[in-house]
Amino acid sequence: MIKKLILAMSFLMAITISAQKINDKDAVTASAEKLRLAMISGEKPALEALILPELTYGHSGGHIDDTTEFVEKLVSKKSDFVTIDITNQKIDIVGNTAIVRHHFYATTADAGKAPGDVTLDIVLVWAKVKKDWKLLARQAVKSEKKK
């Protein structure tokens, strides 16, 4: 009887943990989409709501922005994304951390320059803060072509 009870409780805990990971993946997916839209709009409150103060935002050329620099470049349109398309996204949840990898294709008009194209592979690290997922780190590498 006790063995059956322990087995049943273990099964219920496994289901609960599995459901939580699915819900977290949905929440991370939603946060990543909000970030994509905020990077296009350049709206400061939307950007700040999605990132942690400790953000480290690595560019494919090697430069690393802190939180202030990341937000200011987008708000001022020094870094201006006209479009951003995300493909091949994969999310892994480890405790209160999410690792997101995806392909990033964008058109830009940085500081009013002629449109450009950016093709990157990205890794994002999101941290769960209470019920929200906040961006902690991002690193980009140049990619050959749109996938």
Side-chain angles (χ1 to χ4, degrees), residues 35-41 57 59-60 74 79-87 102-110 113-122 138 140-147:
L35 179 64
R36 184 186 75 80
L37 295 172
M39 289 176 68
I40 293 168
S41 73
Y57 187 91
H59 294 272
S60 62
L74 292 166
S79 183
D80 186 7
F81 291 100
V82 178
T83 65
I84 298 174
D85 295 315
I86 303 293
T87 61
H102 59 234
H103 183 75
F104 178 102
Y105 177 78
T107 55
T108 61
D110 296 349
K113 294 179 185 172
D117 293 318
V118 179
T119 304
L120 304 168
D121 287 312
I122 306 284
R138 180 255 200 190
V141 295
K142 291 179 182 169
S143 182
E144 292 295 317
K145 60 183 176 180
K146 187 174 180 177
K147 295 180 181 176

Side-chain angles (χ1 to χ4, degrees), residues 22-34:
I22 291 169
N23 290 339
D24 281 342
K25 280 189 177 184
D26 290 344
V28 171
T29 298
S31 293
E33 176 61 9
K34 288 177 188 173

Side-chain angles (χ1 to χ4, degrees), residues 24-25 27-33 35 86-93 97-103 121-127 133 135 137-139:
D24 281 342
K25 280 189 177 184
V28 171
T29 298
S31 293
E33 176 61 9
L35 179 64
I86 303 293
T87 61
N88 300 335
Q89 185 161 275
K90 181 179 183 280
I91 299 171
D92 291 309
I93 306 288
T97 304
I99 301 166
V100 178
R101 291 184 179 277
H102 59 234
H103 183 75
D121 287 312
I122 306 284
V123 64
L124 302 167
V125 178
W126 294 83
W133 287 92
L135 186 63
R138 180 255 200 190
Q139 185 59 58

Side-chain angles (χ1 to χ4, degrees), residues 5-18:
L5 181 61
I6 291 172
L7 183 62
M9 290 184 69
S10 297
F11 179 72
L12 289 174
M13 287 177 64
I15 290 173
T16 302
I17 290 168
S18 178

